[in-house]
Amino acid sequence: MDDLRRLLRGLEVFAGELPVFDPAAAPGTPAELFAEWLLGAVDAGVREPHAMTLSTAGADGNPQARTLILKAVTADGWQFASDGGSVKARDLADRPYAALTFYWSPLARQVRVRGPVVREPAEASAADFRARGAAARAEALLGRQSRPLAALDERDAAVREAEARLAREPGLVAPGWTLHTVRPDAVEFWQGDKERRHTRLSYLRTGDGWRKQLLWP
């Protein structure tokens, strides 16, 4: 463990040239700035820039976090989808609040989104499911996420069966598949700095829009 501690202490952070962030020039809404930063990550060649960590808590208050893919950013908020029987779906049924975290390491940029979560209508959820790739739809159709699995060949056989079913019924939608929207109360943009003079800008929802607030590192 001492070797691991020394290794961790010696790893470089904030390597390479980092972008400049002027919070005074930030747009009026967090969605606009998020789009700018996301496109910047795409242009910089960041792998899977739409991947994010979703954090939830169930009735017992214990937090859970997992990485998944952002589906869209709308005027209402940030969207992701989930099987209705998943742990995340059960957590959201108990406590309909969540936090999203994006981190683009080559740019030393982080975005944190938190607020209440709403379920989108069935037609929007169905459209999201049909837009998924064939393999993703087959896996989601199983409806067994996070349940104990006896062996990998059992998984593979179930997926093949689901693929065959989708070939017969291409319009099929997994029961309980749900598109969720995080409607944020706060969105924070964090720009790292080699000298640890990090820049943090928070957008806080007000009655008629958003208020911007700088935060100490």
Side-chain angles (χ1 to χ4, degrees):
M1 289 302 176
D2 287 341
D3 289 343
L4 180 58
R5 184 179 295 108
R6 284 192 293 271
L7 173 65
L8 293 172
R9 291 286 185 176
L11 291 175
E12 185 178 6
V13 294
F14 309 134
E17 180 140 3
L18 302 181
V20 175
F21 174 43
D22 178 8
T29 71
E32 292 175 280
L33 183 54
F34 179 84
E36 289 181 16
W37 279 29
L38 179 63
L39 291 175
V42 172
D43 290 342
V46 176
R47 289 188 59 183
E48 299 174 351
H50 54 338
M52 61 187 183
T53 299
L54 167 69
S55 301
T56 59
D60 59 5
N62 288 331
Q64 299 238 29
R66 71 290 282 169
T67 301
L68 65 164
I69 296 299
L70 176 70
K71 293 304 185 76
V73 180
T74 70
D76 291 329
W78 278 247
Q79 293 187 331
F80 64 92
S82 170
D83 178 79
S86 67
V87 173
K88 67 181 80 67
R90 294 197 298 270
D91 281 357
L92 292 171
D94 290 331
R95 294 188 176 199
Y97 293 87
L100 308 175
T101 307
F102 298 83
Y103 183 56
W104 301 307
S105 176
L107 305 177
R109 281 183 166 176
Q110 180 179 191
V111 181
R112 301 166 61 197
V113 182
R114 59 184 173 84
V117 180
V118 298
R119 295 163 57 98
E120 294 300 322
E123 56 269 24
S125 297
D128 174 84
F129 184 84
R130 294 191 184 103
R132 292 167 64 85
R137 282 182 288 133
E139 186 277 331
L141 196 62
L142 302 181
R144 304 176 191 176
Q145 191 175 92
S146 300
R147 297 181 187 178
L149 174 66
L152 294 181
D153 56 358
E154 179 183 351
R155 174 204 61 190
D156 295 341
V159 170
R160 286 194 297 271
E161 183 178 336
E163 289 172 338
R165 186 180 177 193
L166 283 168
R168 296 191 303 270
E169 305 173 65
L172 192 64
V173 174
W177 187 258
T178 305
L179 184 65
H180 300 273
T181 300
V182 180
R183 296 184 175 177
D185 296 322
V187 183
E188 181 190 323
F189 294 82
W190 182 95
Q191 174 64 66
D193 178 79
K194 293 179 186 294
E195 303 301 321
R196 303 306 193 268
R197 297 178 183 178
H198 311 312
T199 300
R200 296 174 64 187
L201 177 65
S202 179
Y203 285 78
L204 304 171
R205 189 182 293 278
T206 64
D208 56 355
W210 295 92
R211 175 172 63 87
K212 291 185 281 187
Q213 174 67 64
L214 289 171
L215 302 174
W216 280 89

